[in-house]
Amino acid sequence: QKEVEQNSGPLSVPEGAIASLNCTYSDRGSQSFFWYRQYSGKSPELIMSIYSNGDKEDGRFTAQLNKASQYVSLLIRDSQPSDSATYLCAVNGAFGSGTYKYIFGTGTRLKVLA
Amino acid sequence: DVKVTQSSRYLVKRTGEKVFLECVQDMDHENMFWYRQDPGLGLRLIYFSYDVKMKEKGDIPEGYSVSREKKERFSLILESASTNQTSMYLCASRPAATYEQYFGPGTRLTVT
Protein backbone atom coordinates (compact mmCIF):
# COMPACT_ATOMS: atom_id res chain seq x y z
CA GLN A 1 0.00 0.00 0.00
CA LYS A 2 1.53 3.26 -1.10
CA GLU A 3 1.48 5.76 1.73
CA VAL A 4 1.94 9.39 2.56
CA GLU A 5 2.81 10.15 6.18
CA GLN A 6 2.39 13.38 8.09
CA ASN A 7 2.61 14.25 11.75
CA SER A 8 -0.94 15.06 12.84
CA GLY A 9 0.15 17.84 15.21
CA PRO A 10 -0.97 20.25 16.35
CA LEU A 11 2.11 22.22 15.47
CA SER A 12 2.03 25.46 17.42
CA VAL A 13 4.17 28.41 16.37
CA PRO A 14 4.13 32.05 17.48
CA GLU A 15 2.99 34.73 15.07
CA GLY A 16 5.84 35.86 12.82
CA ALA A 17 7.79 32.59 13.14
CA ILE A 18 8.55 30.04 10.45
CA ALA A 19 6.28 27.00 10.41
CA SER A 20 7.83 23.83 9.02
CA LEU A 21 5.55 21.01 7.88
CA ASN A 22 6.90 17.67 6.74
CA CYS A 23 5.66 14.76 4.69
CA THR A 24 7.22 11.44 3.68
CA TYR A 25 6.03 9.11 0.94
CA SER A 26 6.67 5.49 0.17
CA ASP A 27 6.41 5.26 -3.63
CA ARG A 28 9.84 6.05 -5.06
CA GLY A 29 8.28 6.48 -8.50
CA SER A 30 6.14 9.46 -7.46
CA GLN A 31 6.70 12.52 -9.61
CA SER A 32 4.32 15.23 -8.45
CA PHE A 33 3.79 16.66 -4.99
CA PHE A 34 1.22 19.07 -3.62
CA TRP A 35 0.32 20.98 -0.51
CA TYR A 36 -3.28 21.83 0.30
CA ARG A 37 -4.58 24.05 3.07
CA GLN A 38 -7.88 23.12 4.67
CA TYR A 39 -9.71 25.34 7.11
CA SER A 40 -12.08 23.66 9.53
CA GLY A 41 -15.34 22.73 7.79
CA LYS A 42 -14.04 23.81 4.38
CA SER A 43 -12.63 21.96 1.38
CA PRO A 44 -8.90 21.67 0.58
CA GLU A 45 -7.33 24.55 -1.32
CA LEU A 46 -4.23 23.99 -3.45
CA ILE A 47 -1.38 26.24 -2.30
CA MET A 48 1.78 24.71 -3.75
CA SER A 49 2.88 22.13 -6.26
CA ILE A 50 6.44 20.91 -6.80
CA TYR A 51 7.83 18.51 -9.37
CA SER A 52 11.64 18.82 -9.16
CA ASN A 53 14.16 18.38 -6.39
CA GLY A 54 14.97 21.58 -4.55
CA ASP A 55 12.98 24.57 -3.38
CA LYS A 56 10.03 26.38 -4.90
CA GLU A 57 8.94 29.69 -3.45
CA ASP A 58 5.59 31.45 -3.72
CA GLY A 59 5.15 34.45 -1.48
CA ARG A 60 5.49 33.35 2.14
CA PHE A 61 5.38 29.67 1.17
CA THR A 62 8.35 27.49 0.18
CA ALA A 63 7.99 23.87 -0.84
CA GLN A 64 11.05 21.66 -0.62
CA LEU A 65 11.42 18.30 -2.34
CA ASN A 66 14.06 15.62 -1.79
CA LYS A 67 13.25 12.57 -3.91
CA ALA A 68 16.28 10.60 -2.73
CA SER A 69 15.05 10.81 0.86
CA GLN A 70 11.40 10.68 -0.18
CA TYR A 71 10.22 13.71 1.69
CA VAL A 72 8.56 16.96 0.87
CA SER A 73 8.17 19.90 3.20
CA LEU A 74 6.35 23.21 3.36
CA LEU A 75 7.78 26.27 5.06
CA ILE A 76 5.53 29.18 5.95
CA ARG A 77 7.45 32.36 6.73
CA ASP A 78 6.09 35.16 8.89
CA SER A 79 3.25 32.90 10.08
CA GLN A 80 -0.07 34.62 10.71
CA PRO A 81 -3.06 33.50 12.78
CA SER A 82 -4.93 33.20 9.46
CA ASP A 83 -2.50 30.39 8.51
CA SER A 84 -4.01 28.24 11.26
CA ALA A 85 -5.44 25.28 9.35
CA THR A 86 -4.76 21.66 8.49
CA TYR A 87 -2.16 21.19 5.77
CA LEU A 88 -2.52 18.14 3.55
CA CYS A 89 0.34 16.64 1.59
CA ALA A 90 -0.60 14.84 -1.63
CA VAL A 91 1.49 12.72 -3.93
CA ASN A 92 0.59 11.71 -7.46
CA GLY A 93 0.74 7.99 -8.09
CA ALA A 94 0.09 5.97 -11.21
CA PHE A 95 -3.28 4.25 -11.28
CA GLY A 96 -3.39 2.52 -14.60
CA SER A 97 -5.72 3.38 -17.46
CA GLY A 98 -3.00 5.92 -18.32
CA THR A 99 -4.12 8.22 -15.55
CA TYR A 100 -3.08 9.15 -12.05
CA LYS A 101 -4.62 9.56 -8.67
CA TYR A 102 -3.55 11.43 -5.59
CA ILE A 103 -2.56 9.78 -2.36
CA PHE A 104 -3.21 12.11 0.55
CA GLY A 105 -1.65 12.28 3.96
CA THR A 106 -4.00 12.74 6.90
CA GLY A 107 -2.75 16.28 7.45
CA THR A 108 -0.89 18.36 9.99
CA ARG A 109 -2.87 20.84 12.08
CA LEU A 110 -1.06 24.16 12.39
CA LYS A 111 -1.87 26.69 15.09
CA VAL A 112 -0.34 30.13 14.87
CA LEU A 113 -0.49 31.86 18.22
CA ALA A 114 -1.09 35.62 18.27
CA ASP B 1 -10.41 30.81 -11.69
CA VAL B 2 -11.36 27.16 -11.57
CA LYS B 3 -14.89 26.71 -10.33
CA VAL B 4 -16.13 23.40 -8.96
CA THR B 5 -19.58 23.45 -7.45
CA GLN B 6 -21.53 20.82 -5.54
CA SER B 7 -25.29 20.61 -5.33
CA SER B 8 -25.65 20.85 -1.55
CA ARG B 9 -23.48 21.96 1.37
CA TYR B 10 -25.48 19.97 3.92
CA LEU B 11 -27.75 16.99 3.41
CA VAL B 12 -29.66 14.78 5.84
CA LYS B 13 -31.05 11.48 4.60
CA ARG B 14 -32.60 8.41 6.12
CA THR B 15 -31.14 4.91 6.06
CA GLY B 16 -32.09 3.08 2.88
CA GLU B 17 -32.75 6.20 0.80
CA LYS B 18 -31.13 6.64 -2.61
CA VAL B 19 -28.94 9.74 -2.50
CA PHE B 20 -27.60 11.79 -5.41
CA LEU B 21 -24.67 14.15 -5.02
CA GLU B 22 -23.86 16.32 -8.01
CA CYS B 23 -20.68 18.09 -9.01
CA VAL B 24 -20.21 20.57 -11.83
CA GLN B 25 -16.99 22.15 -13.09
CA ASP B 26 -16.75 25.01 -15.55
CA MET B 27 -13.16 24.57 -16.76
CA ASP B 28 -13.60 21.79 -19.34
CA HIS B 29 -11.50 19.42 -17.22
CA GLU B 30 -11.26 15.83 -18.39
CA ASN B 31 -10.73 14.25 -14.98
CA MET B 32 -13.21 14.35 -12.11
CA PHE B 33 -13.06 12.69 -8.71
CA TRP B 34 -15.22 11.86 -5.73
CA TYR B 35 -13.65 11.57 -2.27
CA ARG B 36 -14.94 11.17 1.23
CA GLN B 37 -13.16 12.66 4.20
CA ASP B 38 -13.44 11.30 7.72
CA PRO B 39 -11.56 12.31 10.87
CA GLY B 40 -8.37 10.30 11.28
CA LEU B 41 -8.78 8.60 7.90
CA GLY B 42 -8.04 11.50 5.62
CA LEU B 43 -9.27 11.76 2.06
CA ARG B 44 -10.22 8.50 0.39
CA LEU B 45 -10.98 8.14 -3.30
CA ILE B 46 -14.36 6.63 -4.11
CA TYR B 47 -14.52 6.88 -7.91
CA PHE B 48 -13.03 8.93 -10.66
CA SER B 49 -13.71 9.58 -14.32
CA TYR B 50 -11.23 10.53 -17.02
CA ASP B 51 -13.77 11.10 -19.78
CA VAL B 52 -17.47 11.21 -20.48
CA LYS B 53 -19.11 7.87 -19.69
CA MET B 54 -15.78 6.51 -18.37
CA LYS B 55 -15.32 5.63 -14.73
CA GLU B 56 -12.80 3.87 -12.54
CA LYS B 57 -13.17 2.53 -9.02
CA GLY B 58 -11.09 4.17 -6.37
CA ASP B 59 -10.11 2.77 -3.01
CA ILE B 60 -13.58 2.52 -1.42
CA PRO B 61 -16.25 2.09 -4.16
CA GLU B 62 -18.52 -0.29 -2.25
CA GLY B 63 -22.01 1.12 -1.76
CA TYR B 64 -21.50 3.87 -4.35
CA SER B 65 -21.94 4.33 -8.06
CA VAL B 66 -21.24 7.24 -10.38
CA SER B 67 -22.49 8.75 -13.59
CA ARG B 68 -20.81 11.05 -16.08
CA GLU B 69 -23.07 11.82 -19.02
CA LYS B 70 -21.62 15.27 -19.72
CA LYS B 71 -18.05 16.45 -19.40
CA GLU B 72 -18.83 19.11 -16.82
CA ARG B 73 -20.97 16.99 -14.52
CA PHE B 74 -20.06 14.03 -12.30
CA SER B 75 -22.65 12.49 -10.02
CA LEU B 76 -22.16 10.23 -7.02
CA ILE B 77 -25.00 7.90 -6.11
CA LEU B 78 -25.51 6.14 -2.83
CA GLU B 79 -27.79 3.28 -3.82
CA SER B 80 -29.10 2.63 -0.30
CA ALA B 81 -27.70 5.04 2.24
CA SER B 82 -26.33 3.64 5.47
CA THR B 83 -25.18 5.35 8.65
CA ASN B 84 -21.53 4.51 7.91
CA GLN B 85 -21.79 6.71 4.82
CA THR B 86 -22.18 9.78 7.01
CA SER B 87 -19.21 11.85 5.91
CA MET B 88 -17.91 14.91 4.09
CA TYR B 89 -18.01 14.28 0.34
CA LEU B 90 -15.64 16.21 -1.85
CA CYS B 91 -15.62 16.49 -5.61
CA ALA B 92 -12.50 17.53 -7.50
CA SER B 93 -11.51 18.13 -11.09
CA ARG B 94 -8.26 18.27 -12.99
CA PRO B 95 -7.29 18.87 -16.60
CA ALA B 96 -5.61 16.03 -18.46
CA ALA B 97 -2.51 18.10 -19.19
CA THR B 98 -1.56 18.90 -15.59
CA TYR B 99 -1.63 17.23 -12.21
CA GLU B 100 -3.14 20.13 -10.26
CA GLN B 101 -6.48 19.14 -8.79
CA TYR B 102 -9.17 21.52 -7.54
CA PHE B 103 -11.88 20.78 -5.02
CA GLY B 104 -15.48 21.83 -4.72
CA PRO B 105 -16.85 23.16 -1.41
CA GLY B 106 -17.95 19.72 -0.17
CA THR B 107 -21.24 18.19 0.93
CA ARG B 108 -21.62 17.14 4.53
CA LEU B 109 -23.98 14.19 4.43
CA THR B 110 -25.65 12.82 7.52
CA VAL B 111 -27.51 9.50 7.29
CA THR B 112 -29.84 8.83 10.21
PDB file of all heavy atoms in Angstrom, chain A residues 2-15:
ATOM      1  N   LYS A   2       0.733   2.047  -1.028  1.00  0.00           N
ATOM      2  CA  LYS A   2       1.527   3.264  -1.098  1.00  0.00           C
ATOM      3  C   LYS A   2       0.985   4.248  -0.071  1.00  0.00           C
ATOM      4  O   LYS A   2      -0.210   4.409   0.074  1.00  0.00           O
ATOM      5  CB  LYS A   2       1.445   3.837  -2.512  1.00  0.00           C
ATOM      6  CG  LYS A   2       2.018   2.883  -3.552  1.00  0.00           C
ATOM      7  CD  LYS A   2       1.901   3.447  -4.930  1.00  0.00           C
ATOM      8  CE  LYS A   2       2.584   2.558  -5.950  1.00  0.00           C
ATOM      9  NZ  LYS A   2       2.002   1.218  -6.041  1.00  0.00           N
ATOM     10  N   GLU A   3       1.903   4.916   0.636  1.00  0.00           N
ATOM     11  CA  GLU A   3       1.478   5.764   1.735  1.00  0.00           C
ATOM     12  C   GLU A   3       2.133   7.120   1.709  1.00  0.00           C
ATOM     13  O   GLU A   3       3.227   7.293   1.169  1.00  0.00           O
ATOM     14  CB  GLU A   3       1.831   5.079   3.061  1.00  0.00           C
ATOM     15  CG  GLU A   3       1.015   3.833   3.336  1.00  0.00           C
ATOM     16  CD  GLU A   3       1.328   3.233   4.682  1.00  0.00           C
ATOM     17  OE1 GLU A   3       2.344   3.611   5.271  1.00  0.00           O
ATOM     18  OE2 GLU A   3       0.570   2.368   5.131  1.00  0.00           O
ATOM     19  N   VAL A   4       1.428   8.051   2.332  1.00  0.00           N
ATOM     20  CA  VAL A   4       1.944   9.390   2.563  1.00  0.00           C
ATOM     21  C   VAL A   4       1.756   9.671   4.050  1.00  0.00           C
ATOM     22  O   VAL A   4       0.643   9.554   4.560  1.00  0.00           O
ATOM     23  CB  VAL A   4       1.181  10.426   1.709  1.00  0.00           C
ATOM     24  CG1 VAL A   4       1.637  11.833   2.033  1.00  0.00           C
ATOM     25  CG2 VAL A   4       1.385  10.133   0.227  1.00  0.00           C
ATOM     26  N   GLU A   5       2.839   9.993   4.733  1.00  0.00           N
ATOM     27  CA  GLU A   5       2.814  10.152   6.181  1.00  0.00           C
ATOM     28  C   GLU A   5       3.050  11.592   6.590  1.00  0.00           C
ATOM     29  O   GLU A   5       3.972  12.246   6.094  1.00  0.00           O
ATOM     30  CB  GLU A   5       3.897   9.277   6.817  1.00  0.00           C
ATOM     31  CG  GLU A   5       3.783   7.789   6.504  1.00  0.00           C
ATOM     32  CD  GLU A   5       2.722   7.091   7.339  1.00  0.00           C
ATOM     33  OE1 GLU A   5       2.253   7.701   8.322  1.00  0.00           O
ATOM     34  OE2 GLU A   5       2.383   5.951   7.023  1.00  0.00           O
ATOM     35  N   GLN A   6       2.229  12.055   7.499  1.00  0.00           N
ATOM     36  CA  GLN A   6       2.390  13.383   8.089  1.00  0.00           C
ATOM     37  C   GLN A   6       2.169  13.285   9.590  1.00  0.00           C
ATOM     38  O   GLN A   6       1.341  12.490  10.043  1.00  0.00           O
ATOM     39  CB  GLN A   6       1.354  14.374   7.535  1.00  0.00           C
ATOM     40  CG  GLN A   6       1.470  14.678   6.067  1.00  0.00           C
ATOM     41  CD  GLN A   6       0.402  15.669   5.636  1.00  0.00           C
ATOM     42  OE1 GLN A   6      -0.600  15.317   5.026  1.00  0.00           O
ATOM     43  NE2 GLN A   6       0.645  16.940   5.961  1.00  0.00           N
ATOM     44  N   ASN A   7       2.865  14.131  10.324  1.00  0.00           N
ATOM     45  CA  ASN A   7       2.608  14.248  11.751  1.00  0.00           C
ATOM     46  C   ASN A   7       1.302  14.998  11.936  1.00  0.00           C
ATOM     47  O   ASN A   7       1.106  16.065  11.356  1.00  0.00           O
ATOM     48  CB  ASN A   7       3.756  15.021  12.409  1.00  0.00           C
ATOM     49  CG  ASN A   7       3.664  15.010  13.922  1.00  0.00           C
ATOM     50  OD1 ASN A   7       2.587  15.167  14.478  1.00  0.00           O
ATOM     51  ND2 ASN A   7       4.789  14.818  14.568  1.00  0.00           N
ATOM     52  N   SER A   8       0.391  14.449  12.739  1.00  0.00           N
ATOM     53  CA  SER A   8      -0.944  15.058  12.837  1.00  0.00           C
ATOM     54  C   SER A   8      -0.954  16.375  13.605  1.00  0.00           C
ATOM     55  O   SER A   8      -1.883  17.181  13.453  1.00  0.00           O
ATOM     56  CB  SER A   8      -1.914  14.082  13.495  1.00  0.00           C
ATOM     57  OG  SER A   8      -1.469  13.749  14.794  1.00  0.00           O
ATOM     58  N   GLY A   9       0.099  16.607  14.432  1.00  0.00           N
ATOM     59  CA  GLY A   9       0.154  17.841  15.209  1.00  0.00           C
ATOM     60  C   GLY A   9      -0.778  17.779  16.421  1.00  0.00           C
ATOM     61  O   GLY A   9      -1.090  16.707  16.902  1.00  0.00           O
ATOM     62  N   PRO A  10      -1.176  18.951  16.981  1.00  0.00           N
ATOM     63  CA  PRO A  10      -0.974  20.254  16.353  1.00  0.00           C
ATOM     64  C   PRO A  10       0.449  20.782  16.487  1.00  0.00           C
ATOM     65  O   PRO A  10       1.122  20.505  17.456  1.00  0.00           O
ATOM     66  CB  PRO A  10      -1.954  21.160  17.106  1.00  0.00           C
ATOM     67  CG  PRO A  10      -2.108  20.503  18.437  1.00  0.00           C
ATOM     68  CD  PRO A  10      -1.959  19.030  18.219  1.00  0.00           C
ATOM     69  N   LEU A  11       0.851  21.499  15.453  1.00  0.00           N
ATOM     70  CA  LEU A  11       2.110  22.216  15.468  1.00  0.00           C
ATOM     71  C   LEU A  11       1.787  23.656  15.830  1.00  0.00           C
ATOM     72  O   LEU A  11       1.038  24.313  15.104  1.00  0.00           O
ATOM     73  CB  LEU A  11       2.764  22.154  14.083  1.00  0.00           C
ATOM     74  CG  LEU A  11       3.997  23.012  13.859  1.00  0.00           C
ATOM     75  CD1 LEU A  11       5.145  22.515  14.733  1.00  0.00           C
ATOM     76  CD2 LEU A  11       4.401  22.996  12.377  1.00  0.00           C
ATOM     77  N   SER A  12       2.305  24.102  16.949  1.00  0.00           N
ATOM     78  CA  SER A  12       2.026  25.456  17.417  1.00  0.00           C
ATOM     79  C   SER A  12       3.262  26.326  17.220  1.00  0.00           C
ATOM     80  O   SER A  12       4.355  25.953  17.659  1.00  0.00           O
ATOM     81  CB  SER A  12       1.626  25.448  18.888  1.00  0.00           C
ATOM     82  OG  SER A  12       0.412  24.752  19.074  1.00  0.00           O
ATOM     83  N   VAL A  13       3.069  27.468  16.561  1.00  0.00           N
ATOM     84  CA  VAL A  13       4.171  28.414  16.366  1.00  0.00           C
ATOM     85  C   VAL A  13       3.677  29.812  16.708  1.00  0.00           C
ATOM     86  O   VAL A  13       2.483  30.112  16.546  1.00  0.00           O
ATOM     87  CB  VAL A  13       4.710  28.395  14.907  1.00  0.00           C
ATOM     88  CG1 VAL A  13       5.241  27.003  14.556  1.00  0.00           C
ATOM     89  CG2 VAL A  13       3.678  28.852  13.914  1.00  0.00           C
ATOM     90  N   PRO A  14       4.549  30.672  17.194  1.00  0.00           N
ATOM     91  CA  PRO A  14       4.133  32.053  17.476  1.00  0.00           C
ATOM     92  C   PRO A  14       4.006  32.845  16.177  1.00  0.00           C
ATOM     93  O   PRO A  14       4.657  32.547  15.161  1.00  0.00           O
ATOM     94  CB  PRO A  14       5.270  32.601  18.347  1.00  0.00           C
ATOM     95  CG  PRO A  14       6.446  31.763  18.012  1.00  0.00           C
ATOM     96  CD  PRO A  14       5.935  30.421  17.630  1.00  0.00           C
ATOM     97  N   GLU A  15       3.162  33.846  16.230  1.00  0.00           N
ATOM     98  CA  GLU A  15       2.991  34.732  15.070  1.00  0.00           C
ATOM     99  C   GLU A  15       4.339  35.316  14.667  1.00  0.00           C
ATOM    100  O   GLU A  15       5.137  35.730  15.502  1.00  0.00           O
ATOM    101  CB  GLU A  15       2.027  35.855  15.439  1.00  0.00           C
ATOM    102  CG  GLU A  15       1.702  36.796  14.279  1.00  0.00           C
ATOM    103  CD  GLU A  15       0.628  37.821  14.657  1.00  0.00           C
ATOM    104  OE1 GLU A  15       0.133  37.765  15.813  1.00  0.00           O
ATOM    105  OE2 GLU A  15       0.297  38.653  13.805  1.00  0.00           O
TER     106      GLU A  15
END
